[in-house]
Amino acid sequence: MVLKDFEQKGFVELSPMSEDKRNKVICFTATGKEYADTIISKLRKVELFVIEKMGIERMKQLNDSTALFVELFRKAGGKQDNETNA
Protein backbone atom coordinates (compact mmCIF):
# COMPACT_ATOMS: atom_id res chain seq x y z
CA MET A 1 0.00 0.00 0.00
CA VAL A 2 2.87 2.36 0.81
CA LEU A 3 4.51 1.67 -2.55
CA LYS A 4 1.24 2.21 -4.40
CA ASP A 5 0.83 5.53 -2.55
CA PHE A 6 4.39 6.56 -3.47
CA GLU A 7 3.74 5.52 -7.05
CA GLN A 8 0.57 7.64 -7.19
CA LYS A 9 2.50 10.62 -5.78
CA GLY A 10 5.15 10.15 -8.47
CA PHE A 11 7.96 9.24 -6.06
CA VAL A 12 8.67 5.75 -7.47
CA GLU A 13 8.17 3.69 -10.59
CA LEU A 14 7.39 -0.03 -10.36
CA SER A 15 8.52 -2.24 -13.23
CA PRO A 16 8.17 -6.02 -13.58
CA MET A 17 11.43 -7.93 -13.17
CA SER A 18 12.53 -9.61 -16.39
CA GLU A 19 13.30 -12.95 -14.70
CA ASP A 20 10.12 -13.05 -12.57
CA LYS A 21 7.17 -10.92 -13.69
CA ARG A 22 5.44 -11.38 -10.30
CA ASN A 23 8.13 -9.25 -8.62
CA LYS A 24 8.78 -5.59 -9.29
CA VAL A 25 11.84 -3.37 -9.45
CA ILE A 26 11.36 -0.18 -7.44
CA CYS A 27 13.10 2.94 -8.78
CA PHE A 28 12.98 6.48 -7.45
CA THR A 29 11.80 9.14 -9.85
CA ALA A 30 13.61 12.50 -9.80
CA THR A 31 10.81 13.83 -7.57
CA GLY A 32 11.10 10.81 -5.29
CA LYS A 33 14.87 11.14 -4.99
CA GLU A 34 14.52 14.81 -4.10
CA TYR A 35 11.90 13.95 -1.46
CA ALA A 36 14.05 11.13 -0.01
CA ASP A 37 17.15 13.35 0.05
CA THR A 38 15.38 15.91 2.25
CA ILE A 39 14.37 13.20 4.73
CA ILE A 40 17.79 11.53 4.71
CA SER A 41 19.51 14.87 5.26
CA LYS A 42 17.36 15.61 8.32
CA LEU A 43 17.85 12.10 9.70
CA ARG A 44 21.62 12.32 9.24
CA LYS A 45 21.74 15.58 11.23
CA VAL A 46 19.75 14.01 14.07
CA GLU A 47 21.94 10.89 13.98
CA LEU A 48 25.13 12.96 14.24
CA PHE A 49 23.65 14.96 17.13
CA VAL A 50 22.81 11.75 19.02
CA ILE A 51 26.24 10.23 18.37
CA GLU A 52 27.90 13.40 19.64
CA LYS A 53 25.78 13.41 22.82
CA MET A 54 26.22 9.66 23.49
CA GLY A 55 29.93 9.59 22.80
CA ILE A 56 32.01 7.11 20.85
CA GLU A 57 32.39 4.62 23.71
CA ARG A 58 28.64 4.29 24.24
CA MET A 59 28.13 3.98 20.48
CA LYS A 60 30.64 1.11 20.41
CA GLN A 61 28.81 -0.55 23.31
CA LEU A 62 25.51 -0.11 21.50
CA ASN A 63 26.92 -1.65 18.32
CA ASP A 64 28.44 -4.57 20.25
CA SER A 65 25.21 -5.19 22.16
CA THR A 66 23.16 -5.03 18.97
CA ALA A 67 25.50 -7.47 17.22
CA LEU A 68 25.19 -9.90 20.15
CA PHE A 69 21.41 -9.52 20.15
CA VAL A 70 21.21 -10.32 16.43
CA GLU A 71 23.54 -13.32 16.80
CA LEU A 72 21.53 -14.78 19.69
CA PHE A 73 18.25 -14.02 17.94
CA ARG A 74 19.42 -15.91 14.84
CA LYS A 75 20.59 -18.87 16.92
CA ALA A 76 17.22 -19.08 18.67
CA GLY A 77 15.23 -18.36 15.50
CA GLY A 78 14.54 -21.97 14.60
CA LYS A 79 13.72 -23.09 18.13
CA GLN A 80 10.38 -23.32 19.91
CA ASP A 81 9.67 -21.08 22.94
CA ASN A 82 10.56 -23.82 25.45
CA GLU A 83 13.89 -24.43 23.70
CA THR A 84 15.12 -20.79 23.89
CA ASN A 85 15.72 -21.01 27.66
CA ALA A 86 18.92 -23.03 27.12
Side-chain angles (χ1 to χ4, degrees):
M1 299 226 9
V2 172
L3 283 176
K4 286 293 180 188
D5 184 49
F6 280 4
E7 185 179 34
Q8 288 175 350
K9 290 179 179 177
F11 293 156
V12 297
E13 292 177 344
L14 306 175
S15 307
M17 293 181 72
S18 57
E19 55 282 345
D20 184 354
K21 302 288 184 200
R22 295 172 295 171
N23 292 310
K24 307 249 187 232
V25 175
I26 305 163
C27 296
F28 276 116
T29 62
T31 302
K33 181 161 177 16
E34 185 178 314
Y35 175 71
D37 285 346
T38 63
I39 294 170
I40 291 169
S41 176
K42 290 175 187 175
L43 285 173
R44 184 71 177 141
K45 287 177 185 176
V46 171
E47 180 183 32
L48 291 173
F49 171 82
V50 171
I51 291 169
E52 181 182 324
K53 293 298 181 188
M54 284 185 69
I56 294 299
E57 189 54 40
R58 282 189 177 156
M59 287 302 299
K60 287 179 184 176
Q61 291 171 359
L62 176 64
N63 287 339
D64 292 344
S65 294
T66 302
L68 177 60
F69 177 88
V70 169
E71 178 184 341
L72 295 173
F73 195 90
R74 283 185 180 148
K75 284 182 181 178
K79 299 179 182 179
Q80 299 298 319
D81 288 349
N82 60 352
E83 295 177 317
T84 59
N85 296 330

